[in-house]
């Protein structure tokens, strides 16, 4: 064991690893103390920030030098040095002192780089002097137009020092410099409410430029801006995509050259003859213009780009991970060849339902068009099952120019699929197909495994559901004509998501999306971003109980899991306005909605005790009032975290009134909850709405409602996430395990026996016995029921955070063994470092290894009832049960 702490590591800025292009005026720094010794803690730190890395190595910090600061703080240390300048790289390092006052070595240096718009007093509507430009290719509300290509040739005199491309679009961009991709990211700039905000990204393109002749080429796709969204056609924000970019080159002699988008850029259609997120993409290779993004290309026949008015939207630096290819899947076998209505098709199985696109090697005759289709499931005859995609065609086409093989991968679409069907080209083999998995490139943080293989598959399905639906926005599903940022789905899943990946920056972005959509009344819509066309008024304006509450639950979860108080500060006023809306519209503290007669939300959506998704029997005003009280409980903690004590007192008082109203309206004297549904009891118990003396009766009735059915659940999106956590909290671990381990319908393991490799929208979206569920809503990649993941980490593996201490600074290690789950282990990269548990039960012998990272402590609760206070370090326990 070393005697001194090692150098701090895992340096992060705004929770990101070396972010490029950050416009945050006071970014927050974090590091992991490197000290495996028992009781290791940080007693002080010293941060240095410099613009010159060589000077930093000598200890000269021109931007910020904290000196020695006596503090345990190692996360969210707010930068408080010189005002940050735009387009500047800041290098930084840190050292720490341990509990005995012994210093660590300096960390290796890390950096962040500012974007263009830092320190600007007003919102910017463009990147520097860059103009917004477009082409004359305009489609209509039904069909996409060809994707415009834009190019600019330029020359650079003298050696290149460094170069940055700042770029955004209304639509999607795909940028090249001298024929090379500027980035491996995809579907940028993602989806925001473009009327309010559009984000830009920064790329280091130094190595792509040459002294002498250069060219930049950008293709635009319609994306969310002008393409299909939901079930309501195209062109929700504008009729065609637009580009705004600034290339900034610093030459070897320090001179700066900028190449902004303007009307000297030339534009023409290329070989992408149509592209749409839902419909797919068509490349006509006969229209390809080889070399168009490189110098020397003759663009005299191209048009001048059309100037456009800048949008009123603020152009903000994206401070969250972009969508990227994160994994490549290859087919598990050679394709099957089928006759599909007279067409010979080959079907490839990637073995895993995934989201992204297929990269395929195709050969065909000149003028012939190959078709690539996608599906999550196959029909009994082996052909693709696509009914559940509704109006999304999810089909790519390639028209061949010659007999040469083509490596095809679309740029401006994505599909949800496990199966790839190819036709209209020469026969292919499995080597010709790759599934390119796309998702917001969030750092994986958690792992969970246990002795039960079905539960391990469930964990895998949950993570795949998260990967497939965290594409810039947390969506309900990635495949059909929907793919919306449904608030209810996100809030039930957010805690699980925060175990699996560092979702802090991702939810920070989505919280802005929610704020952008907050109505003047204070209400929060059902989805964010909202689109103007085709969605019902309720979807656009008032998500209703368990949906719009995401606006408080998600940022509070970011605070709890990552210690982020800035997200609370930034949205505090909005959250208060949302609460005022609930207070204004409530009827004697019972949550209702003033604006829509009969609109009390989606209810316990898809509950098995309802005939229709809308008709679950748990009363909606009960769900609404329970969530109203829960929001207030969270707002008490939020106000306390922000030292707003008067507000906290106010929320406590209001919550008491709401809880009293809940009890008056929905709870009988003997502890029965109106409706007598599992979900009703789960809300009442889980949100602490019942007086102590009524809890035993409510719990007994909940137990009976579950046990008398199998045991089985009858819950939907609202009740299911609460089942295992609430049962465990009240000591009914046996029943929680029974529900988790149930292999029949309805339950988490049932779909696995039906072949699921992701979470499904319904417990029985497909069954070997009865085939496919109702096509109206039958997604095979819908993460909501994956919300059980948090309980698997917290209770099965026994790794959780103390509810009163943010960011896992204090862990709760409380594993619960079971005769069918005799081993479990989890690791979690917390903001302080990696925590871990691993336990086994052999006969009556229970062994546990648990790690609390340096600078944290843990409360250990052993299954025999013993509890211990643990310091940081790795600890081993053996007990007999
Ligand atoms: C979505 C859900 C969503 C629901 C609202 C569905 O169409 O797919 O996941 O939460 O509508 O009830």
């Amino acid at each position: 064991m070393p005697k001194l702490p090692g150098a701090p590591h895992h340096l992060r800025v705004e929770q990101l690893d070396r972010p490029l292009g950050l416009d945050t005026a006071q970014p927050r720094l974090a590091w992991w103390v490197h000290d495996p010794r028992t009781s290791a803690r940080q007693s002080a730190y010293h941060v240095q920030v410099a613009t010159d890395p060589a000077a930093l190595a000598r200890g000269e910090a021109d931007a910020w030098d904290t000196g020695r600061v006596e503090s345990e703080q190692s996360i969210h240390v707010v930068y408080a040095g010189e005002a940050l300048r735009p387009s500047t790289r800041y290098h930084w390092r840190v050292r720490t002192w341990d509990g005995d006052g012994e210093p660590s070595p300096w960390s290796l240096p890390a950096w962040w780089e500012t974007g263009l718009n830092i320190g600007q007093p007003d919102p910017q509507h463009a990147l520097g002097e860059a103009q917004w430009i477009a082409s004359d290719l305009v489609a209509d509300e039904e069909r996409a137009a060809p994707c415009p290509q834009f190019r600019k040739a330029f020359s650079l005199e003298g050696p290149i020092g460094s170069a940055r491309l700042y770029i955004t679009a209304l639509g999607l961009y795909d940028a090249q410099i001298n024929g090379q991709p500027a980035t491996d990211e995809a579907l940028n700039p993602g989806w925001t409410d473009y009327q309010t905000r559009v984000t830009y990204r920064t790329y280091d393109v130094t190595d792509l430029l040459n002294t002498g002749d250069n060219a930049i080429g950008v293709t635009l796709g319609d994306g969310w801006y002008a393409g299909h969204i939901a079930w309501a056609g195209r062109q929700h924000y504008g009729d065609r995509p637009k580009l705004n970019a600034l290339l900034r080159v610093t030459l070897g002699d320090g001179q700066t050259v900028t190449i902004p988008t303007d009307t000297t850029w030339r534009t023409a259609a290329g070989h992408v003859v149509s592209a749409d997120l839902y419909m797919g993409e068509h490349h006509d290779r006969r229209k390809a213009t080889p070399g168009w993004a490189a110098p020397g290309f003759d663009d005299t026949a191209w048009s001048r780009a059309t100037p456009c008015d800048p949008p009123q939207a603020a152009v903000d630096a994206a401070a969250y991970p972009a969508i990227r290819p994160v994994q490549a899947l290859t087919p598990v076998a050679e394709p099957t060849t089928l006759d599909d209505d007279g067409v010979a098709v080959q079907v490839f199985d990637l073995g895993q339902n995934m989201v992204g696109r297929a990269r395929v090697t195709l050969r065909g005759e000149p003028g012939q068009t190959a078709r690539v289709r996608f599906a999550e499931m196959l029909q009994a005859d082996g052909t693709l099952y696509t009914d559940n995609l509704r109006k999304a065609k999810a089909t790519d086409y390639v028209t061949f120019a010659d007999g040469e093989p083509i490596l095809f991968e679309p740029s401006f679409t994505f599909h949800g699929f496990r199966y790839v069907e190819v036709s209209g080209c020469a026969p292919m083999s499995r080597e010709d197909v790759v599934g390119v998995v796309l998702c917001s490139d969030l750092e994986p943080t958690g792992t969970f495994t246990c002795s039960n293989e079905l539960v391990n598959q469930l964990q895998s399905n949950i993570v795949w559901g998260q990967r497939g639906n965290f594409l810039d926005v947390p969506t309900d599903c990635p495949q059909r004509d929907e793919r919306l940022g449904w608030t209810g789905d996100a809030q039930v899943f957010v805690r699980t998501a925060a175990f699996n990946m560092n979702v802090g920056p991702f939810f920070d972005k989505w919280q802005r999306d929610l704020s952008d959509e907050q109505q003047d009344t204070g209400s929060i819509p059902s989805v964010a971003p909202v689109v103007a066309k085709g969605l019902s008024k309720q979807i656009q304006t008032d998500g209703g109980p368990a949906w719009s509450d995401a606006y408080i639950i998600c940022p509070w979860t970011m605070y709890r899991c990552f210690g982020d108080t800035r997200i609370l500060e930034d949205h505090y006023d909005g959250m208060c306005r949302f609460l005022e809306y609930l207070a204004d519209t409530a009827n004697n503290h019972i949550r209702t909605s003033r604006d829509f007669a009969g609109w009390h939300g989606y209810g316990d959506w898809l509950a098995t005790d309802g005939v229709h998704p809308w008709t679950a029997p748990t009363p909606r005003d009960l769900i609404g009032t329970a969530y109203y009280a829960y929001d207030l409980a969270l707002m008490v903690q939020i106000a306390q975290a922000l030292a707003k004590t008067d507000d906290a007192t106010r929320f406590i008082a209001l919550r008491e009134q709401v809880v009293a109203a809940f009890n008056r309206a929905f709870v009988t004297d003997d502890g029965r909850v109106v409706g007598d549904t599992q979900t009703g009891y789960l809300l009442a118990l889980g949100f602490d709405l019942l007086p102590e003396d009524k809890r035993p009766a409510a719990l007994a009735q909940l137990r009976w409602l579950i046990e008398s059915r199998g045991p089985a659940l009858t819950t939907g999106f609202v009740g299911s996430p609460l089942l295992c956590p609430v049962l465990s909290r009240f000591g009914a671990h046996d029943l929680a395990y029974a529900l988790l381990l149930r292999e029949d319908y309805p339950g988490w393991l049932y779909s696995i026996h039906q072949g699921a490799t992701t979470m499904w929208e319904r417990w029985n979206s497909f069954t070997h016995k009865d085939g496919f569920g109702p096509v109206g809503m039958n997604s095979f990649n819908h993460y909501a029921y994956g919300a059980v993941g948090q309980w698997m980490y917290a209770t099965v593996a026994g790794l959780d955070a103390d509810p009163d201490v943010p960011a896992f600074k204090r862990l709760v290690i409380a594993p619960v063994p079971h005769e069918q789950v005799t081993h479990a282990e989890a690791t979690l990269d917390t903001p302080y470092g990696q925590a871990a548990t691993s336990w086994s039960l052999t006969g009556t012998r229970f062994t546990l290894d648990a790690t609390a990272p340096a600078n944290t402590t843990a409360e250990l609760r052993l299954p025999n009832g013993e509890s211990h206070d643990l310091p940081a370090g790795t600890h081993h326990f053996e007990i007999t049960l």
Side-chain angles (χ1 to χ4, degrees):
M1 195 64 86
K3 289 215 168 51
L4 296 173
H9 61 134
H10 201 271
L11 274 58
R12 292 291 182 271
V13 179
E14 289 296 307
Q15 301 190 56
L16 299 166
D17 184 9
R18 290 164 295 170
L20 178 57
L22 208 58
D23 280 343
T24 314
Q26 290 190 293
R28 293 161 298 173
L29 312 182
W31 55 88
W32 285 2
V33 172
H34 187 43
D35 194 344
R37 293 174 299 172
T38 304
S39 304
R41 69 180 188 93
Q42 171 189 302
S43 62
Y45 69 81
H46 182 183
V47 169
Q48 290 185 322
V49 184
T51 48
D52 175 1
L56 181 69
R58 294 193 300 272
E60 294 160 24
D62 58 339
W64 195 36
D65 193 327
T66 63
R68 176 174 165 153
V69 180
E70 303 300 319
S71 167
E72 278 201 8
Q73 192 180 355
S74 59
I75 64 170
H76 300 296
V77 173
V78 179
Y79 173 83
E82 294 289 299
L84 297 173
R85 296 192 302 263
S87 304
T88 305
R89 184 165 292 200
Y90 290 89
H91 304 265
W92 70 288
R93 61 180 191 170
V94 57
R95 63 177 161 159
T96 56
W97 282 264
D98 70 8
D100 298 326
E102 295 294 339
S104 78
W106 283 102
S107 68
L108 290 173
W111 53 263
W112 81 96
E113 189 174 306
T114 52
L116 266 186
N117 290 343
I118 196 162
Q120 302 278 0
D122 298 316
Q124 302 299 294
H125 302 298
L127 295 167
E129 69 268 34
Q131 274 180 279
W132 281 90
I133 55 173
S135 92
D136 291 334
L137 298 165
V138 190
D140 56 38
E141 290 195 21
E142 300 300 319
R143 292 163 62 87
C147 292
Q149 299 176 149
F150 296 83
R151 93 175 232 110
K152 170 82 184 176
F154 57 96
S155 165
L156 295 171
E157 283 166 26
I160 318 291
S162 68
R164 298 288 181 270
L165 176 63
Y166 303 96
I167 183 166
T168 188
L170 292 167
L172 303 174
Y173 63 77
D174 185 18
Q176 300 178 40
I177 289 189
N178 294 327
Q180 300 297 314
T183 170
D184 67 344
E185 297 169 2
L187 303 173
N188 268 311
W191 188 13
T192 50
D193 184 333
Y194 306 110
Q195 284 145 354
T196 316
R197 206 158 45 83
V198 48
T199 53
Y200 76 94
R201 290 199 179 265
T202 305
Y203 303 109
D204 181 350
V205 293
T206 313
D207 294 342
L208 301 180
L209 289 166
N210 307 314
T211 302
D213 290 339
N214 292 277
I216 175 168
V218 182
T219 310
L220 295 186
D222 286 348
W224 292 275
Y225 181 77
H228 278 97
I229 301 182
W231 43 86
R234 298 168 31 80
Q235 298 182 328
H236 290 268
Y237 299 94
D239 65 353
R240 74 192 93 174
K242 294 167 188 164
L243 173 65
N244 192 242
L246 182 78
L247 177 65
R248 194 164 199 265
V249 185
T250 308
L251 298 173
D253 61 5
Q255 200 194 321
T256 304
V257 179
T258 53
I259 317 289
T261 40
D262 59 23
T263 53
T264 66
W265 287 51
R266 316 286 294 180
T267 181
H271 66 279
V272 186
V273 294
S274 69
D276 185 275
L277 293 173
Y278 291 6
M279 300 302 160
E281 193 160 315
H282 182 178
H283 290 193
D284 186 341
R285 300 296 309 171
R286 295 169 303 183
K287 299 189 171 157
T289 46
W292 71 275
F297 178 83
D298 180 6
D299 61 16
T300 45
W302 288 30
S303 319
R304 286 168 82 87
T306 313
C308 319
D309 289 336
Q312 279 316 295
V315 173
D316 279 354
Y320 49 91
I323 298 169
R324 252 211 188 85
V326 296
Q327 210 172 324
L329 303 183
T330 50
V332 293
E334 286 300 338
T336 51
T337 303
L338 300 166
D339 180 331
D340 187 13
D341 267 349
V343 181
V345 300
Q346 287 187 292
V347 177
F348 297 84
D349 178 4
L350 293 165
Q352 171 64 53
N353 194 12
M354 56 158 277
V355 174
R357 28 213 199 203
R359 182 161 63 224
V360 286
T361 307
L362 302 166
R363 281 177 205 80
E365 299 297 319
Q368 190 184 2
T369 297
R371 187 181 76 172
V372 190
R373 293 203 309 145
F374 299 88
E376 299 181 291
M377 301 288 285
L378 294 182
Q379 315 202 70
D381 64 1
T383 56
L384 301 194
Y385 173 75
T386 55
D387 292 354
N388 69 326
L389 304 183
R390 304 195 307 215
K391 283 193 226 132
K393 294 214 165 54
T395 306
D396 298 334
Y397 297 94
V398 180
T399 305
F400 300 98
D402 50 39
E404 292 298 306
I406 290 173
L407 185 62
F408 166 75
E409 183 183 342
S411 302
F412 302 117
T413 191
F414 69 91
H415 314 296
F417 61 100
R418 167 173 169 173
Y419 300 95
V420 183
E421 179 210 87
V422 188
S423 59
C425 58
M428 299 158 63
S429 65
R430 63 197 285 193
E431 288 76 37
D432 296 324
V433 175
V434 175
V436 179
V437 179
L438 295 179
C439 72
S440 283
D441 189 14
L442 311 180
E443 272 187 83
T445 48
T447 61
F448 169 93
T449 45
C450 70
S451 57
N452 184 311
E453 280 313 316
L454 291 170
V455 176
N456 292 342
Q457 182 63 46
L458 173 63
Q459 168 65 11
S460 169
N461 293 4
I462 294 170
V463 174
W464 276 102
Q466 182 167 350
R467 251 180 226 137
N469 282 293
F470 277 29
L471 273 89
D472 216 54
V473 165
T475 56
D476 58 334
C477 61
Q479 72 299 76
R480 68 182 178 219
D481 58 350
E482 186 151 8
R483 314 185 192 187
L484 297 172
W486 279 99
T487 45
D489 307 43
Q491 73 86 359
V492 297
F493 187 64
V494 62
R495 185 71 179 84
T496 298
F499 273 110
N500 292 325
M501 300 176 196
N502 182 350
V503 294
F506 179 83
F507 272 95
D508 184 67
K509 183 263 182 193
W510 192 59
Q511 186 69 13
R512 285 167 211 262
D513 294 337
L514 285 166
S515 278
D516 289 347
E517 307 298 5
Q518 184 167 30
Q519 306 292 295
D520 292 342
T521 57
S523 78
I524 293 289
S526 304
V527 297
V530 159
V531 284
K533 289 191 295 183
L535 303 184
S536 68
K537 259 259 155 301
Q538 291 95 320
I539 295 180
Q540 288 179 345
T541 60
D542 182 354
W547 267 253
S548 52
D549 311 86
Y551 191 52
I552 289 175
I553 296 166
C554 293
W556 173 77
T557 307
M558 294 309 106
Y559 165 68
R560 246 201 97 182
C561 296
F562 304 107
D564 187 357
T565 47
R566 194 174 280 170
I567 193 172
L568 303 180
E569 276 156 26
D570 288 352
H571 301 277
Y572 186 73
D573 290 347
M575 292 191 270
C576 290
R577 281 196 289 123
F578 172 63
L579 274 188
E580 279 159 29
Y581 171 76
L582 297 186
D584 284 354
T585 49
N587 181 0
N588 274 331
H589 305 298
I590 300 298
R591 184 160 166 188
T592 58
S593 172
R594 180 175 55 196
D595 297 336
F596 308 107
W599 171 242
H600 300 277
Y602 300 96
D604 191 15
W605 188 249
L606 286 175
T608 63
D609 55 8
V611 179
H612 180 271
W614 292 96
T615 58
T618 308
R620 293 186 199 187
D621 44 2
L622 181 156
I623 297 175
T625 309
Y627 262 93
Y628 182 17
Y630 183 54
D631 292 341
L632 283 161
L634 300 188
M635 283 301 280
V636 171
Q637 296 180 43
I638 290 170
Q640 282 163 349
L642 300 181
K644 295 180 188 287
T645 30
D646 290 352
D647 286 0
T649 312
R650 202 157 50 81
F651 297 142
I652 289 170
L654 182 54
R655 181 177 176 280
E656 276 167 16
Q657 292 177 324
V658 174
V659 170
F662 180 92
N663 278 276
R664 274 197 307 275
F666 305 116
V667 185
T668 64
D669 287 345
D670 55 1
R672 288 295 182 92
V673 175
V674 166
D676 207 30
T677 65
Q678 294 177 9
T679 296
Y681 290 98
L682 289 164
L683 290 165
L685 287 162
F687 293 171
D688 294 315
L689 305 178
L690 299 178
E692 200 102 18
D693 60 334
K694 287 190 182 165
R695 287 183 194 166
L699 183 66
Q701 182 63 6
L702 172 62
R703 275 201 88 110
W704 184 82
L705 287 170
I706 296 169
E707 279 166 351
S708 62
R709 282 172 176 83
L713 55 81
T714 57
T715 49
F717 277 28
V718 174
S720 302
L722 293 169
L723 274 166
C724 294
V726 170
L727 288 169
S728 271
R729 188 181 141 198
F730 291 94
H733 296 300
D734 55 329
L735 208 46
Y737 263 112
L739 290 176
L740 176 78
L741 297 175
R742 185 184 160 98
E743 296 183 34
D744 295 340
Y745 173 84
W748 280 276
L749 304 185
Y750 182 63
S751 65
I752 293 170
H753 284 304
Q754 315 306 315
T757 59
T758 34
M759 299 310 297
W760 291 353
E761 185 167 19
R762 298 168 187 263
W763 305 109
N764 56 351
S765 286
F766 168 82
T767 67
H768 293 303
K769 189 163 144 282
D770 299 322
F772 293 99
V775 293
M777 261 182 349
N778 206 20
S779 154
F780 291 91
N781 203 348
H782 227 80
Y783 56 57
Y785 289 144
V788 72
Q790 72 179 87
W791 179 80
M792 287 158 47
Y793 276 99
T795 306
V796 180
L799 181 54
D800 203 358
D802 183 318
D804 297 324
V805 184
F808 290 83
K809 181 103 171 82
R810 184 162 173 82
L811 303 163
V812 174
I813 295 171
V816 176
H818 183 267
E819 68 249 15
Q820 276 174 272
V821 179
T822 53
H823 164 74
E825 59 185 78
T827 62
L828 182 67
D829 288 355
T830 75
Y832 291 95
Q834 190 172 80
T837 58
S838 172
W839 62 262
S840 297
L841 182 66
T842 316
T844 55
R845 197 90 198 118
F846 178 83
T847 56
L848 168 72
D849 291 288
T851 303
N855 221 13
T856 70
T857 58
E859 177 189 340
L860 170 69
R861 290 184 218 140
L862 287 168
N864 62 357
E866 267 176 44
S867 60
H868 299 268
D869 222 351
L870 297 183
T874 297
H875 310 273
H876 179 77
F877 295 86
E878 284 192 39
I879 53 169
T880 304
L881 293 180

